[in-house]
Amino acid sequence: MDYKVNKSYQIKILVTGASGFVGSHLVEYFAEKGHTIDVLDLGQPVPSCVRQSFHWDKLKELDLGAYDAVIHLAGMAHDVRGKAKEDLYMKVNYGLTKEAFTRFLEARSGASGQKAKVRSFIFFSTVKAVADRVEVAVLTEDAVPNPVGPYGESKFKAEQFIQGALEKADDAESPVNVYILRPSMIHGPGNKGNLNLLYQVVRRGIPWLLGSFDNKRSFTSVRNLCILVERVAAGGIPSGVYHVADDAPVSTNRLIELICKSLGKKVRIWHLSPWLIRGCARIGDVLHLPLNSLRLQKLTEDYVVSNRKLKEALGMDVMPYPTEEELLLTLESFKN
């Protein structure tokens, strides 16, 4: 099935945070499809495919009405090492979103004095804005948000601002499409998150000691994500909140097998007693060791995210790229 947007339909897009992992992939993808791309960032170098680059300080002077869609990616990513300051999450993830969406609504209302054209605003949130732990079989958009920690809390507050401001806006004569996307763990070439950390553990020949825990997690391939965002930016689906994930959740044991396959190593998964592992984690709590109860929970819990709502809205039966093939592509990129 062909998921590409019609080549004759070209759109002009403003991307904030284009220098980040996801932003760089989106910009490259949009350029390949012939779309016009401008970026709003903090002065980082941009690829030659970008038409214009603006510093964030120029946001108030920028005519957002000149664009078909604004994709707001600028934000502070989840700090897997726990070194980021909490107030920075709120300042960046909430504060920048508030600024960007306020300017978007001004452009829609014609407050800038320019003819409004921009029709879509896409905000990149996260499933962590809903739940730090998934207590049900599958996390859907109907779940009542209960974020834990500054990353999820700041993203959820940004979501609340967007939804509240949209309710107050008078757009009866100028309908607007606003999409809040909540991806599960995104991966792809250039990714430096938890998947890369796990890869390094296996690469060093360290056996996986948690084989007795059969958990499953959802992932989002950055290639699938680019296709989805292009189709959402083109409009035509209802405004709202959409979860994003690849089709098949993957167990950590299976992920270890895929890493070993990529490395050409023998699979070393040890099925130690869960009781023993939990006991070691409790000792780690007291002695402040790398393996503690919280880290054990993160490594062994289920976190399965539904992508049904977004696929149905876009008329898709399956995601463009299969889950395990995309994971292997990402793992291969780690070799370099």
Side-chain angles (χ1 to χ4, degrees):
M1 185 179 295
D2 186 6
Y3 296 111
K4 298 177 182 178
V5 172
N6 191 314
K7 286 289 288 184
S8 64
Y9 182 76
Q10 305 301 325
I11 54 181
K12 187 183 294 185
I13 307 165
L14 177 69
V15 181
T16 76
S19 61
F21 165 61
V22 176
S24 59
H25 279 274
L26 278 176
V27 166
E28 181 180 349
Y29 177 83
F30 286 143
E32 290 176 354
K33 301 303 176 184
H35 302 304
T36 301
I37 311 141
D38 289 352
V39 302
L40 182 67
D41 224 315
L42 293 175
Q44 293 93 331
V46 296
S48 58
C49 61
V50 170
R51 187 187 67 162
Q52 294 184 88
S53 176
F54 302 97
H55 194 278
W56 192 268
D57 292 342
K58 302 296 182 182
L59 173 61
K60 292 184 178 180
E61 304 171 18
L62 192 58
D63 176 23
L64 297 191
Y67 299 96
D68 296 294
V70 174
I71 301 175
H72 180 53
L73 274 160
M76 192 168 176
H78 191 198
D79 177 23
V80 298
R81 293 175 175 84
K83 295 181 179 180
K85 295 182 179 180
E86 293 186 10
D87 60 333
L88 283 177
Y89 282 107
M90 201 61 67
K91 181 179 179 180
V92 176
N93 292 342
Y94 167 68
L96 295 188
T97 303
K98 182 178 180 180
E99 290 182 28
F101 193 66
T102 298
R103 287 289 295 116
F104 170 79
L105 291 179
E106 289 173 353
R108 291 301 306 170
S109 66
S112 64
Q114 302 291 332
K115 182 179 179 181
K117 176 185 178 183
V118 62
R119 59 173 176 267
S120 296
F121 186 94
I122 300 173
F123 170 55
F124 267 75
S125 185
T126 169
V127 289
K128 293 294 184 179
V130 192
D132 190 59
R133 300 182 64 182
V134 177
E135 306 291 350
V136 293
V138 181
L139 187 66
T140 69
E141 292 81 355
D142 295 329
V144 178
N146 182 32
V148 176
Y151 174 63
E153 290 169 358
S154 60
K155 286 288 191 178
F156 179 57
K157 187 173 181 181
E159 289 186 14
Q160 288 180 305
F161 174 80
I162 289 173
Q163 293 168 331
L166 194 59
E167 290 175 0
K168 297 176 182 177
D170 182 12
D171 60 357
E173 297 181 0
S174 185
V176 59
N177 299 318
V178 177
Y179 307 102
I180 295 174
L181 302 184
R182 293 174 177 163
S184 57
M185 185 185 296
I186 304 171
H187 69 90
N191 175 248
K192 297 179 180 179
N194 286 328
L195 188 57
N196 193 298
L197 295 176
L198 185 61
Y199 177 89
Q200 298 304 327
V201 169
V202 178
R203 184 180 66 84
R204 293 184 176 93
I206 301 172
W208 183 247
L209 305 179
L210 308 179
S212 296
F213 297 87
D214 187 25
N215 65 312
K216 291 186 178 181
R217 301 186 66 89
S218 290
F219 293 87
T220 301
S221 156
V222 75
R223 291 207 301 172
N224 280 332
L225 185 66
C226 287
I227 293 174
L228 295 173
V229 172
E230 182 188 31
R231 296 197 63 188
V232 171
I237 70 171
S239 296
V241 176
Y242 294 92
H243 289 181
V244 185
D246 292 341
D247 283 328
V250 179
S251 70
T252 304
N253 287 346
R254 178 56 181 160
L255 189 55
I256 297 297
E257 292 173 353
L258 292 174
I259 293 173
C260 291
K261 179 179 180 180
S262 175
L263 290 168
K265 287 180 172 288
K266 181 180 179 180
V267 178
R268 300 180 67 192
I269 299 177
W270 293 6
H271 293 77
L272 302 179
S273 165
W275 178 86
L276 175 62
I277 294 295
R278 292 190 181 100
C280 292
R282 285 193 289 271
I283 294 174
D285 295 338
V286 177
L287 300 180
H288 305 288
L289 299 176
L291 180 63
N292 53 42
S293 296
L294 179 60
R295 185 157 293 169
L296 178 63
Q297 172 202 313
K298 296 297 183 184
L299 290 171
T300 60
E301 67 184 357
D302 288 330
Y303 205 113
V304 180
V305 178
S306 171
N307 63 10
R308 181 177 178 180
K309 179 182 176 182
L310 182 56
K311 287 199 301 184
E312 288 183 348
L314 293 173
M316 301 169 64
D317 296 322
V318 296
M319 295 291 279
Y321 296 106
T323 304
E324 291 197 2
E325 289 182 13
E326 289 300 283
L327 283 168
L328 282 171
L329 186 68
T330 296
L331 296 172
E332 286 295 315
S333 75
F334 290 163
K335 295 179 179 179
N336 300 319

